[in-house]
Amino acid sequence: QVQLVESGGGLVQPGGSLKLSCTASGSIFRLSAMGWYRQAPGKGRVLVATVTSGDGTNYGDSVKGRFTISRDNAKNTVYLQMNSLKPEDTAVYYCYAEVSRPRYNYWGQGTQVTVSS
């Protein structure tokens, strides 16, 4: 079992910045990819960004050029630096972790990000 604890959500003005953190604990020996998804009210959960253990990254089209994902393997922590925030970025952001052999996905509890005008 892997537990994911997120922090850093909150209220920010359009054009502002916010940084999210997520730390994994528990059975982390097979931890591979980590990342972030988000879900707005009444909408589905969509990809924000992921990063592999080899530091390869993947971003959703709507956040490319504005968000940056990184990880600290020694701390089992993934970060999401969010810049140039827009009202459409308002959502609950969920931390994601993938383990391998066998493959399984874990989710954090979510943290609210609100971008207000």
Side-chain angles (χ1 to χ4, degrees):
Q1 184 73 28
V2 173
Q3 295 81 44
L4 302 173
V5 179
E6 302 130 320
S7 64
L11 176 66
V12 66
Q13 294 281 333
S17 297
L18 204 62
K19 187 174 184 178
L20 306 182
S21 299
C22 174
T23 299
S25 62
S27 301
I28 60 175
F29 306 105
R30 299 182 290 111
L31 191 62
S32 55
M34 296 186 71
W36 298 90
Y37 288 69
R38 69 187 185 188
Q39 186 170 16
K43 306 292 184 179
R45 190 173 298 184
V46 299
L47 169 72
V48 177
T50 59
V51 58
T52 68
S53 59
D55 292 331
T57 58
N58 184 40
Y59 293 92
D61 289 339
S62 64
V63 306
K64 289 179 180 176
R66 300 188 297 120
F67 292 8
T68 302
I69 190 169
S70 61
R71 69 188 290 175
D72 186 333
N73 290 324
K75 296 181 179 180
N76 302 308
T77 299
V78 63
Y79 305 94
L80 184 69
Q81 178 66 52
M82 303 183 291
N83 298 325
S84 302
L85 283 162
K86 306 174 181 179
E88 65 196 69
D89 295 317
T90 296
V92 177
Y93 284 69
Y94 294 93
C95 184
Y96 161 86
E98 179 181 294
V99 299
S100 60
R101 303 177 64 185
R103 182 179 179 182
Y104 194 80
N105 299 329
Y106 294 91
W107 296 95
Q109 80 284 355
T111 185
Q112 177 71 47
V113 172
T114 301
V115 185
S116 64
S117 59

